[in-house]
Amino acid sequence: MMSLFRWKYRYCKARMVAFVNGDLSLRARRRIAHYIDECSKCDDLYTQERRMAQELQDRLHRTKAPDVMQVTRMWSAIQAEMTPVSADKSRSVPYYYQRTRYAVAMMVMVLTMAVTIILGNSSASLAAETTLPEPVNRYTLATTTSPDDNVLVAAATAEPGSTDAVTLSGLNLTLEATPRPVLAPDEN
Amino acid sequence: MSQQNNLHEDENILDMIARGVRGDQSGYSDLYRTYVNGMYRLCCNLLFNEQDAEDVTQEAFVYAFKNLHRYDSRRAAFKTWLYTIAVSRCRNMYRRKRPQLLNLANMFHANLTAPMAERPESVMAERAAQDALVKALGNLSPQLREAVVLRYGHGLTYREIAEVMECPQKTAESRVRLAHGRLRGVLSIHGQGLLQELLSI
């Protein structure tokens, strides 16, 4: 019997606020009303909750409404914020658009700087390539006269440090000298 | 009969909105006049500060008027839509600073009508009860406070509260119930009981 009352009290407790505010179904309302009639704890709970709801309603409804001055002041401020919508096109842009605009401007600036830096680096490297000193190849020319007077044998040997050392080293140039014309005895 | 009245009222509101969307200033001013008291009181109850309430009310109206074309009457009542904006702005405000409880007490007292004004005890009792409510509301979490204020201060249904607070209806119900539980202890000490006792002297 005790547990039944306890169960009923719990049932009431869970739904009492809704009961007081008239938010329950007809069936649940009848059930709780029946429990309130037969259980003193449920009745106390109902009294407390009803008083509480009334008190809250009364006191919250007493909150001061704005006076005429406040209403007028707020309306003037609202109008001041609303008027630029039609009068001044530049002010009609919402704040988040302005923020977006600033963000885009910043991004463009950063991108421009980044591109400038990258291009600057690449042109610098290009310039560096163009200003590289021309490769210097030095050769030591050794000439030897063959036993035959008509033939001059020259050998060009690349000096150390020359860029084309591999290709040119050991190159032997053979020059054919034009035979000196033999003068006739009568011409002397 | 009351349904017909509501329908007529809804038509009036929709007409004001339509005028506002067309850019007619009279539409805006009519909407403002209709809802300014409720909006201001809601902000006062949530923020506990007159100046903040004024700022937030103004800000909420400006936002609502600028976005009037977005309002869909099939989804929610205009009042609910406005309250959603106001509650959202209030949340921003009390995230920025803690509410000042003393100002609310003054705000309540300014409009206080004591039942027996010639007896100072009754005035004192009324003030004590009012202060207790202010403190109790201030100690509630913002969500519970919003639920209580919307339910008892503005008579919204649980469905409307759920729309304004952007939560399921059951959550709105349980928030009101929880707030009841928290407030019960405080108000039973300073509330009706004390008032009755002092009035009977």
Side-chain angles (χ1 to χ4, degrees), chain A residues 143-184:
Chain A
T143 54
T144 50
T145 314
S146 66
D148 184 3
D149 263 354
N150 293 337
V151 178
L152 179 73
V153 178
T157 312
E159 286 183 359
S162 297
T163 50
D164 296 336
V166 178
T167 52
L168 289 178
S169 63
L171 177 71
N172 292 326
L173 296 173
T174 304
L175 302 174
E176 275 190 21
T178 311
R180 190 179 288 171
V182 181
L183 295 173

Side-chain angles (χ1 to χ4, degrees), chain A residues 9 12-24 45 48-86 91-97, chain B residues 25 28-29 32 36-37 40-41 44-45 50-51 53-55 57-59 61-62 65-67 70 104 107-108 110-113 125-126 129-130 133 137 148-149 151-155 158 173 176-177 179-184 187-188 190-193 195:
Chain A
Y9 177 69
C12 280
K13 198 177 177 183
R15 291 162 182 79
M16 194 54 84
V17 176
F19 178 77
V20 167
N21 290 330
D23 297 319
L24 284 180
L45 184 70
Q48 275 182 6
E49 292 290 1
R50 198 184 57 180
R51 186 185 291 167
M52 166 89 176
Q54 278 176 352
E55 211 165 321
L56 276 171
Q57 262 172 0
D58 289 349
R59 296 192 189 285
L60 285 172
H61 274 291
R62 275 186 208 158
T63 312
K64 199 178 79 172
D67 55 34
V68 183
M69 284 289 287
Q70 281 176 309
V71 171
T72 315
R73 194 164 57 227
M74 282 191 283
W75 179 239
S76 309
I78 291 167
Q79 276 188 317
E81 288 212 38
M82 294 292 292
T83 313
V85 175
S86 53
R91 291 270 320 238
S92 71
V93 180
Y95 179 60
Y96 53 88
Y97 278 177
Chain B
Q25 283 291 314
Y28 291 133
S29 63
Y32 176 75
V36 67
N37 282 358
Y40 178 80
R41 282 180 50 244
C44 277
N45 285 331
E50 279 187 60
Q51 188 54 53
E54 206 175 305
D55 290 346
T57 307
Q58 180 188 312
E59 204 180 305
F61 268 114
V62 169
F65 289 162
K66 281 186 177 175
N67 292 280
R70 287 194 194 170
L104 182 68
M107 195 170 69
F108 274 121
N111 213 26
L112 201 66
T113 48
E126 190 68 26
Q130 202 68 59
L133 174 71
L137 278 175
V148 165
V149 165
R151 184 76 186 92
Y152 296 108
H154 297 269
Y158 286 123
E173 283 180 32
V176 172
R177 200 173 59 242
H180 251 254
R182 303 261 169 90
L183 291 174
R184 197 189 302 134
L187 293 184
S188 61
H190 296 280
Q192 205 71 19
L195 194 63

Side-chain angles (χ1 to χ4, degrees), chain A residues 107-119:
Chain A
M107 277 173 64
V108 168
M109 267 178 62
V110 169
L111 278 174
T112 313
M113 283 173 68
V115 167
T116 313
I117 289 167
I118 291 167
L119 284 180

